[in-house]
Amino acid sequence: MSHHLDSEQARQDGRLDITDHYVFRGESGTVLVLNVNSSLAGPGARPGFHPEARYEFKIHIDGAVTEDLTYRVAFGEPAPSGEQGVTLRVLTGHAARNDTAPGDLLAEGTTGEIISGWDGLRLWAGRALDPFYVDLAQVRAVNAAVRNGAPVETPGWEPGAAKNSFSGSTVHSIVLEIHDRDPRLGSDRRVGVWVTTKLATDAGGWRQVNREGRPMMWPIFRPDDGERAGAANLVHPADEMGAESEHIARLVAGVAAANGVPGDPVAYGRSVAHRLLPDLLPYRTGTPAAFGFAEHNGRTLADNAAEVMFSLVLNAATSTGLSPAGSADTRGDRFPYVVPGPGDPG
């Protein structure tokens, strides 16, 4: 998965485990999507959202090193029928980086319903079909090649036989659409977005559990059971530029050399690290989003993120054998854009 069960805390509680996030143009503004709690975690997984957690969209504006804007979503205890209360707050300026700041209330309601908020804002949270698609056999092969600086080996697998490992699975999704007339975000703003889950600590503070910027960073560069993956989840994107840049550059250089990439693999590794860090998803608000080969400008629910990232790291066109059409039933053209899944409303 783009970002799946990659820390001890996430393995203990899937409600804190980020699977993916998306940023794209919606019907009336910028859409932010944060998915957690995959059904693939197993039958023992707890449903819904964690009532002692925060789910945050962090937005850097015009190349800022730290976030200028945070949208914070929190949930109440589940009702017997599964619904949970939802609150959305916004924090700006220095408060956007302060866990103790209360923020301003923008909207509140219940999971499973469309919630209207300040100045055209819309919010929806609940169980949804997972729009992500990739064959995990290929993910494991690319991960092993990158980790070991070796050729990509997929014995018995080829794109024509690819199967979507996430077909039929569900996630718990938070969908927020910020209207173009919102003065804080608006249209034609250059932003970088990342998402995080945080859990209340016994000492009264907040501990960051998971984070994600660009898709596929964890399965490609940070093995699921690795110390680096767990540690990377705990820091701010701006705090990993040095060591993580060197780490990614070294891994890309190794796999590029092993797979016969022409040119200087070391220089190519550095160029990939420079492109991918800081680990923020770039987007210009108001424009059509596309996470593609030529440009990363947000990410739609249909984008083949795995194919783009594999091709970038290997410096060669790498097909996943899957297309957006195969998962068309997991997304819609109207808010909330995700497709509510079966089961309880939460």
Side-chain angles (χ1 to χ4, degrees):
M1 187 174 276
S2 182
H3 187 292
H4 183 64
L5 298 177
D6 49 39
S7 71
E8 182 58 33
Q9 187 78 61
R11 286 190 288 272
Q12 292 174 5
D13 194 328
R15 296 174 297 178
L16 302 170
D17 176 45
I18 298 169
T19 63
D20 280 286
H21 91 109
Y22 305 85
V23 181
F24 56 91
R25 172 71 186 170
E27 295 174 294
S28 60
T30 300
V31 179
L32 309 171
V33 180
L34 166 57
N35 290 341
V36 297
N37 207 4
S38 170
S39 62
L40 296 183
R46 283 168 279 194
F49 301 92
H50 201 304
E52 296 179 8
R54 288 173 172 173
Y55 301 81
E56 297 184 337
F57 298 95
K58 299 284 195 176
I59 301 175
H60 300 223
I61 298 176
D62 292 334
V65 174
T66 55
E67 58 270 36
D68 305 278
L69 188 58
T70 294
Y71 290 99
R72 177 184 294 162
V73 185
F75 298 87
E77 292 286 349
S81 55
E83 295 97 338
Q84 292 177 264
V86 189
T87 59
L88 169 67
R89 295 179 178 274
V90 65
L91 301 96
T92 59
H94 293 295
R97 306 180 286 277
N98 185 353
D99 286 335
T100 65
D104 298 321
L105 181 66
L106 292 183
E108 55 186 338
T110 305
T111 54
E113 67 178 18
I114 294 178
I115 303 167
S116 298
W118 186 85
D119 206 6
L121 173 150
R122 293 187 290 183
L123 173 68
W124 184 91
R127 188 192 301 271
L129 300 181
D130 192 345
F132 184 64
Y133 57 97
V134 75
D135 191 325
L136 285 177
Q138 185 184 27
V139 175
R140 286 188 285 267
V142 173
N143 178 276
V146 172
R147 183 175 64 249
N148 299 321
V152 179
E153 297 181 352
T154 54
W157 184 93
E158 57 183 22
K163 296 181 180 179
N164 178 14
S165 298
F166 300 90
S167 177
S169 66
T170 63
V171 289
H172 280 74
S173 188
I174 301 169
V175 184
L176 174 61
E177 183 163 10
I178 309 298
H179 202 284
D180 283 340
R181 63 174 174 256
D182 184 305
R184 289 171 292 238
L185 191 58
S187 185
D188 199 30
R189 301 291 297 272
R190 187 168 60 91
V191 301
V193 185
W194 59 290
V195 292
T196 181
T197 55
K198 296 182 178 181
L199 186 64
T201 67
D202 292 337
W206 294 88
R207 179 177 183 270
Q208 184 167 295
V209 175
N210 252 201
R211 70 175 172 95
E212 182 183 345
R214 296 178 200 255
M216 300 302 297
M217 294 288 284
W218 258 258
I220 294 176
F221 299 116
R222 302 156 178 158
D224 289 347
D225 58 354
E227 231 176 81
R228 179 176 290 273
N233 269 304
L234 306 181
V235 303
H236 190 283
D239 296 333
E240 64 173 357
M241 290 297 293
E244 190 64 9
S245 179
E246 293 177 6
H247 172 70
I248 289 176
R250 177 178 57 80
L251 290 178
V252 172
V255 74
N259 284 274
V261 172
D264 182 352
V266 173
Y268 184 69
R270 289 174 181 157
S271 71
V272 171
H274 179 75
R275 182 174 182 183
L276 295 179
L277 295 177
D279 189 9
L280 309 174
L281 183 60
Y283 179 59
R284 184 170 287 279
T285 61
T287 66
F291 192 84
F293 298 104
E295 182 183 24
H296 296 173
N297 183 47
R299 178 189 177 193
T300 74
L301 299 174
D303 285 336
N304 194 337
E307 192 165 276
V308 171
M309 288 293 284
F310 292 161
S311 299
L312 174 64
V313 171
L314 299 174
N315 197 25
T318 304
S319 173
T320 61
L322 301 171
S323 71
S327 60
D329 61 338
T330 66
R331 57 186 184 270
D333 296 328
R334 304 189 59 136
F335 188 87
Y337 310 108
V338 297
V339 176
D344 59 64

